[in-house]
Amino acid sequence: MTTDGFDPIKLEVWWSRLVSVTDEAATTLLRTAFSTIIRESNDYTVVLMNRSGRTIAECRAGIPAFAALMSVLTGRLLERFPVETWCDGDIVITNDPWIGTGHLPDIAMVTPIFHGGVLVGFTGTAAHVPDIGGNPGMGVTDLMSEGLLIPPMHLQRAGTRNDALITLLLSNVRLSGQVWGDLEAQMAANDVCRRRAVEFLRDTDQADFAALSTAVHTTADRGMRRAIAAIPDGTYRSVTEADGVLGQPTHIECAVTVRGEDMVVDYTGSSPQVDYAINCTLNYTTAYSIYPLKILLDPFTRSNHGSYRSIRVTAPEGSILNPVFPAPVLARHLTGHLLSCAVYRALADVLPDRVIADSGGAPALRVQFSGRTPTGEPFALLLFASAGMGAGAAHDGLPTTAFPTNSGGGSIEALESSAPLLFEKKEFRADSGGAGTHRGGLGQDIEVRNTTDAPLRVVLLGDRSEHPALGVNGGLPGAVARVVDDEGAVRALKSVSVVRPGGGLTISFAGGGGYGPPAGRDRAAIAADLREGFITQEAAIRDYGTDAVIRAERPVPET
């Protein structure tokens, strides 16, 4: 059997090599980045694309949902800069949320690949820089207050740097050294990907990527269409509620329609856009709808542009999932991450053995600390830490695991070396996972202290203080998120405040929802949870019953 002229073995070997090219470029980005957001928390992506800007290979770390957007982004760049206008040595950047990955701190960078004097493809990166200017708070009402907007522009033209653009950019950010260091890391990653891609073409005696990209797109497309076709035709619906802003909950209506090999995800009926930073551009809405579907329906085929051709995502213009420029979008993940819950709940009845319950990290809770070090240098650190994942039909939810994003928490030592903060505790949060036949994943408690003699600014970007991660098929919800200072005051999860000198915060991350009725949980699993401290006896009695706990604790006679 062949795929567009490639036998399966050759296709697997060549495709694997191109994935390794993007992985090597990603390693370059990680090893050379200045900020902890990239090198510790993996907030980036690296892709290799064909001449039309469609992804062929995606790196296996970073943010998978971002990779799905790079074809869209590069397609938009090619509308502005047609193929025939690109030169060897060009670099185009943008952070336009309606073109790229959804908010201003994410800067996308695209570099052309020339082979034999002919443009044969592109390499692209997107990464979250530590500062983009503006007011990184939650009270802004338009995009202009959130930072510097960079329309698609040449950072480099035919090998010559655009010094005017660089000066403009670095004059509008507080952490110019870190920002420029991260941008140079992206340039280095793009160059590694470009050089290795050319080496691949030479080694395989290929003039371009046309034939190979057709083959890998066809393979990925077939895998997803086969999985969609296995779902009975119909429209499946769900409603998801979140805390929202100013007393107005976020309301998401999701309709997943299956027709043969095609799927449409429609969010008609969802909340209108708001004058607050939780709006989510259609690009981001699309990414965080199709990525959960990809890993649900076809987790084993490598992802590329072909993986997403059979799924269409729509949301009404002017809604919170498709806002009109210049809506504020800084915290768009507080809406976009919820879409994994909406899609899975819609499909829970038809795919009960494959979906998972809501995850406590959907949406993720982010905490930004900023101020000055004891030597007077400005700093800003964005804390990435994970909540509990939702449980599934065959397993408990994973504790403290990011989903639907793929960001990492990073090492405490690296964070403490980058900011005047002391992390005094980082441990599993007992009783945070929702009870069920399979228990939701545990969140965590993190205690952090300001070690300076001046107040530090803290921005909380979170949700789920009132709307916990829900269970599925009779599973119970997980614990809500909360932040409390060392004086006992509860901080709002969407707020800007200060931490006094020597003061601290306890950040409690939400737990995942349970799967199946608690009465179905194995007694040995309850006993193990009690022994490990994952649940307290009080919670075990409340959720599983006194008799169940007694039987769980009773020793099993030896045979």
Side-chain angles (χ1 to χ4, degrees):
M1 178 180 178
T2 63
T3 300
D4 293 299
F6 287 86
D7 69 77
I9 295 176
K10 176 187 283 189
L11 182 61
E12 176 66 20
V13 171
W14 285 13
W15 196 356
S16 296
R17 180 169 170 183
L18 291 184
V19 172
S20 72
V21 166
T22 60
D23 285 344
E24 182 182 350
T27 300
T28 301
L29 177 57
L30 285 172
R31 295 286 179 86
T32 58
F34 279 42
S35 72
T36 58
I37 298 176
I38 297 174
R39 59 184 169 85
E40 293 291 330
S41 299
N42 303 321
D43 200 343
Y44 70 90
T45 194
V46 180
V47 300
L48 175 66
M49 298 171 281
N50 65 12
R51 179 183 168 92
S52 301
R54 295 173 176 171
T55 56
I56 305 169
E58 305 172 357
C59 70
R60 286 173 284 195
I63 308 296
F66 283 5
L69 294 177
M70 293 305 291
S71 291
V72 178
L73 179 144
T74 307
R76 295 287 297 276
L77 295 185
L78 290 174
E79 293 174 5
R80 178 127 359 149
F81 306 111
V83 167
E84 63 272 11
T85 67
W86 290 75
C87 300
D88 198 4
D90 282 358
I91 301 174
V92 172
I93 69 169
T94 185
N95 68 345
D96 188 325
W98 280 262
I99 296 176
T101 58
H103 69 175
L104 296 178
D106 286 348
I107 295 181
M109 187 178 295
V110 173
T111 299
I113 301 171
F114 281 82
H115 177 51
V118 177
L119 177 66
V120 296
F122 297 90
T123 176
T125 56
H128 187 140
V129 295
D131 184 33
I132 198 63
N135 175 20
M138 290 295 294
V140 300
T141 59
D142 62 32
L143 184 75
M144 286 66 189
S145 301
E146 295 185 327
L148 179 67
L149 173 65
I150 309 168
M153 299 183 70
H154 283 95
L155 179 66
Q156 188 169 288
R157 182 63 167 163
T160 300
R161 296 276 174 88
N162 184 346
D163 291 331
L165 174 58
I166 295 169
T167 300
L168 175 65
L169 171 59
L170 300 184
S171 297
N172 280 276
V173 299
R174 303 169 186 86
L175 305 174
S176 57
Q178 286 192 44
V179 170
W180 181 241
D182 285 354
L183 290 177
E184 286 194 303
Q186 283 187 253
M187 286 187 275
N190 276 17
D191 190 57
V192 167
C193 191
R194 178 192 64 80
R195 288 188 285 109
R196 294 290 184 261
V198 171
E199 289 175 7
F200 168 84
L201 292 175
R202 289 172 180 161
D203 291 347
T204 58
D205 197 27
Q206 297 287 297
D208 53 37
F209 293 109
L212 181 57
S213 64
T214 298
V216 297
H217 292 159
T218 298
T219 301
D221 183 47
R222 285 174 180 168
M224 182 59 81
R225 290 186 182 278
R226 189 182 307 116
I228 293 173
I231 304 172
D233 282 4
T235 298
Y236 308 97
R237 301 181 183 276
S238 71
V239 174
T240 299
E241 303 278 350
D243 298 352
V245 292
L246 305 177
Q248 297 295 320
T250 296
H251 177 80
I252 296 174
E253 292 194 20
C254 175
V256 180
T257 299
V258 176
R259 292 287 182 269
E261 298 180 336
D262 295 293
M263 177 180 286
V264 177
V265 183
D266 180 30
Y267 294 107
T268 297
S270 299
S271 295
Q273 72 181 68
V274 295
D275 290 334
Y276 217 68
I278 64 172
N279 297 295
C280 175
T281 64
L282 187 58
N283 269 8
Y284 199 81
T285 294
T286 299
Y288 276 91
S289 300
I290 60 179
Y291 170 65
L293 285 167
K294 175 68 172 73
I295 59 177
L296 177 74
L297 301 177
D298 184 30
F300 300 114
T301 306
R302 293 191 183 95
S303 299
N304 59 43
H305 173 75
S307 304
Y308 318 118
R309 294 194 301 208
S310 56
I311 305 173
R312 185 166 61 91
V313 179
T314 66
E317 187 173 70
S319 70
I320 200 169
L321 295 171
N322 186 10
V324 177
F325 179 90
V329 291
L330 176 68
R332 85 288 197 224
H333 73 281
L334 295 182
T335 300
H337 285 182
L338 290 166
L339 301 180
S340 62
C341 305
V343 169
Y344 286 174
R345 298 188 76 80
L347 295 173
D349 288 340
V350 71
L351 297 174
D353 58 332
R354 298 172 71 176
V355 301
I356 62 171
D358 293 358
S359 293
L365 169 58
R366 302 288 185 237
V367 185
Q368 185 190 61
F369 297 93
S370 61
R372 292 191 175 272
T373 68
T375 61
E377 295 296 317
F379 84 92
L381 182 142
L382 188 58
L383 175 64
F384 285 70
S386 301
M389 279 187 67
H395 54 79
D396 290 346
L398 295 174
T400 60
T401 301
F403 184 81
T405 183
N406 194 38
S407 56
S411 71
I412 292 301
E413 294 79 8
L415 300 179
E416 289 179 336
S417 70
S418 303
L421 300 170
L422 176 64
F423 288 84
E424 297 183 325
K425 182 170 79 171
K426 193 174 191 289
E427 65 182 25
F428 286 146
R429 184 183 176 193
D431 297 335
S432 57
T437 304
H438 296 288
R439 176 181 45 75
L442 299 180
Q444 61 182 311
D445 288 322
I446 296 178
E447 291 183 5
V448 58
R449 189 163 301 280
N450 173 11
T451 62
T452 73
D453 58 2
L456 297 183
R457 185 175 190 262
V458 58
V459 179
L460 298 176
L461 306 174
D463 205 279
R464 294 210 181 282
S465 64
E466 299 175 11
H467 293 78
L470 299 179
V472 168
N473 292 337
L476 301 185
V480 297
R482 59 183 241 153
V483 177
V484 181
D485 64 29
D486 56 1
E487 296 177 341
V490 177
R491 303 286 182 96
L493 292 190
K494 298 180 182 70
S495 65
V496 180
S497 59
V498 298
V499 179
R500 62 179 175 81
L505 296 175
T506 298
I507 307 161
S508 297
F509 291 79
Y515 188 103
R521 187 159 181 79
D522 182 72
R523 303 303 109 177
I526 298 174
D529 284 348
L530 285 164
R531 184 173 58 251
E532 298 293 336
F534 296 161
I535 60 174
T536 62
Q537 189 164 35
E538 293 78 10
I541 293 172
R542 179 194 67 211
D543 295 332
Y544 300 107
T546 305
D547 181 60
V549 174
I550 292 173
R551 285 188 284 120
E553 293 178 329
R554 182 178 299 148
V556 178
E558 293 186 4
T559 57

